[in-house]
Amino acid sequence: MESLFGIMLAKSGFLNLTLGQVIMWFIGFTFIYLAIKKDYEPLLLLPIGFAIFAVNLPLTGLMDKDPKGLLYIFYHYGLEWEVIPPLIFLGLGAMTDFGPLIANPKTLLLGAAAQFGVYVSFFGALLLGFNIPEACSIGIIGGADGPTTIYTTVHLAPHLLGATAISAYSYMSLVPIIQPPVMKLLTTEKERKITMRQLRPVSRLEKILFPMGVCLISCLIVPAAAPLMVMFMIGNLFRESGVVKRLSDAAQNELMNIVTIFLGISVGATMSAEKFLRPQSLLVFALGLVAFIFSTAGGVLFAKFMNLFLKEKINPLIGSAGVSAVPMAARVSQKLGAEADPKNFLLMHAMGPNVAGVIGTLMAAGFFISLAAH
């Protein structure tokens, strides 16, 4: 009996548990806490957090390649095969209203300017010793776009997936905390009180032509962005055409919910202790924060620069919405504008650069993938 007990104990997880795995449990529990208690990106942080906990249970084989573990199957077919991120963009496209951007095309420039942090972090990563594919994967965090970060990292530096994905979604969830101090530092109270006139109505024809036009131009300029851009724009065409409501609803709801579950589980599954608990991961987190701060600053400062030449001034607060955290960044712009002037309503104006930021981040990702391929 003692011998049998010894064999059972040796094959249990208790004698094979490491300190690193326990640390990862606490990281996973932290994500679960933030999702449930603080309501920070719960649709993603909850499955990510539990997957982190599960993948660090010893001897479970959940991420074994041979024989294939359950979580490895999700990761392999969903992320390595690059299926999940494009499907996420199909749903995002169906949920996106490009009306504010079409009504005020100048805000496209703010979305481009808010990619500044992407390139700051890219060069910072190179200076810290990361190679070009790794630096590209780290830099894209500054776009505050989780699916694009995942797609770029899987394509270029899959060994960094856990660190880059967690950084991107962590900073996305912390938009209301990170952005306001930067926005207030770079603007005066007078600038925050700038009132913008109501946007013009946008016709149905404009909304139908827009996704096709953007898809055509962007894919001709950066072909490597096509997988995400095409799915993003076809989802939007579902929405705006008005003739495939069932497809649009399915993309926004059932499909988006299912794919989000698999995305969270697959990302969390990459965060085993031996892969994640490295100094390199801390550098990725630090560079991701730098990227996010500089992206916010880039949008605000470029709006101030545009005001030097515009008769109708832009409230610089909407420049910070040029990051891809839709619609959270736009809500932050609205909140700070209302604090300066309760009658100021900036939300729809901020949605222009907000959705432009998604396009800008996709273009940046395509450029990085092309760069690293050569």
Side-chain angles (χ1 to χ4, degrees):
M1 287 296 292
E2 290 183 4
S3 177
L4 179 61
F5 178 76
I7 293 173
M8 291 297 295
L9 186 62
K11 291 187 175 182
S12 73
F14 291 103
L15 295 184
N16 294 275
L17 188 63
T18 66
L19 176 61
Q21 289 170 330
V22 175
I23 292 172
M24 294 306 298
W25 289 356
F26 281 104
I27 292 175
F29 295 155
T30 300
F31 276 78
I32 293 171
Y33 170 80
L34 292 174
I36 297 174
K37 185 68 176 179
K38 300 295 184 180
D39 200 32
Y40 288 165
E41 293 287 336
L43 296 180
L44 277 163
L45 293 193
L46 191 61
I48 287 175
F50 196 85
I52 293 171
F53 165 66
V55 80
N56 285 285
L57 293 169
L59 303 182
T60 57
L62 291 172
M63 277 296 281
D64 286 353
K65 294 184 179 181
D66 188 24
K68 291 180 174 61
L70 176 64
L71 298 187
Y72 176 78
I73 292 172
F74 293 156
Y75 167 75
H76 177 65
Y77 293 107
L79 296 185
E80 281 192 330
W81 280 27
E82 300 175 356
V83 172
I84 290 178
L87 289 178
I88 287 284
F89 270 94
L90 175 65
L92 288 175
M95 298 167 70
T96 299
D97 180 8
F98 284 115
L101 177 59
I102 299 170
N104 189 3
K106 293 190 295 292
T107 56
L108 184 64
L109 298 175
L110 297 177
Q115 307 308 308
F116 179 57
V118 171
Y119 300 100
V120 169
S121 187
F122 167 74
F123 287 109
L126 290 178
L127 290 174
L128 289 173
F130 290 93
N131 60 36
I132 289 178
E134 290 171 339
C136 291
S137 301
I138 295 168
I140 207 68
I141 296 171
D145 188 330
T148 304
T149 299
I150 292 169
Y151 183 82
T152 306
T153 306
V154 169
H155 213 88
L156 301 179
H159 58 285
L160 291 181
L161 179 60
T164 57
I166 295 302
S167 294
Y169 282 113
S170 295
Y171 296 135
M172 283 172 62
S173 67
L174 294 174
V175 162
I177 296 173
I178 296 172
Q179 282 199 320
V182 179
M183 296 160 70
K184 289 180 179 179
L185 179 66
L186 298 176
T187 57
T188 65
E189 186 174 356
K190 182 179 178 181
E191 288 174 326
R192 294 195 290 273
K193 288 182 177 180
I194 292 176
T195 301
M196 300 174 66
R197 69 173 179 174
Q198 187 174 353
L199 295 171
R200 70 170 179 85
V202 177
S203 69
R204 182 187 176 200
L205 179 61
E206 288 177 292
K207 289 188 174 184
I208 290 174
L209 293 177
F210 184 82
M212 293 187 288
V214 171
C215 189
L216 172 66
I217 295 170
S218 61
C219 291
L220 287 176
I221 295 173
V222 188
L228 299 184
M229 188 68 76
V230 167
M231 297 300 284
F232 188 40
M233 293 306 167
I234 195 173
N236 188 251
L237 188 59
F238 285 171
R239 171 194 175 97
E240 302 301 350
S241 68
V243 295
V244 288
K245 189 174 185 302
R246 286 169 55 191
L247 300 186
S248 179
D249 289 346
Q252 293 181 49
N253 298 294
E254 293 87 356
L255 178 64
M256 192 67 162
N257 291 336
I258 292 169
V259 177
T260 298
I261 293 171
F262 290 128
L263 176 66
I265 292 173
S266 301
V267 169
T270 66
M271 295 180 62
S272 60
E274 59 270 18
K275 292 182 179 179
F276 190 78
L277 294 179
R278 300 174 179 176
Q280 194 179 49
S281 298
L282 295 178
L283 282 177
V284 171
F285 270 84
L287 287 167
L289 180 60
V290 169
F292 197 76
I293 290 173
F294 273 93
S295 289
T296 300
V300 173
L301 292 175
F302 194 78
K304 289 162 69 86
F305 174 74
M306 290 175 65
N307 281 342
L308 298 176
F309 309 97
L310 295 175
K311 290 183 179 180
E312 291 188 16
K313 304 300 182 185
I314 294 173
N315 191 311
L317 293 177
I318 73 169
S320 66
V323 299
S324 303
V326 182
M328 196 180 303
R331 289 173 180 162
V332 172
S333 299
Q334 163 65 27
K335 183 174 182 291
L336 264 65
E339 286 177 3
D341 179 3
K343 297 180 181 179
N344 206 355
F345 193 75
L346 296 176
L347 183 61
M348 292 308 296
H349 296 287
M351 285 302 299
N354 209 183
V355 297
V358 179
I359 297 173
T361 303
L362 288 179
M363 296 291 283
F367 170 74
F368 278 156
I369 291 171
S370 300
L371 174 68
H374 295 83

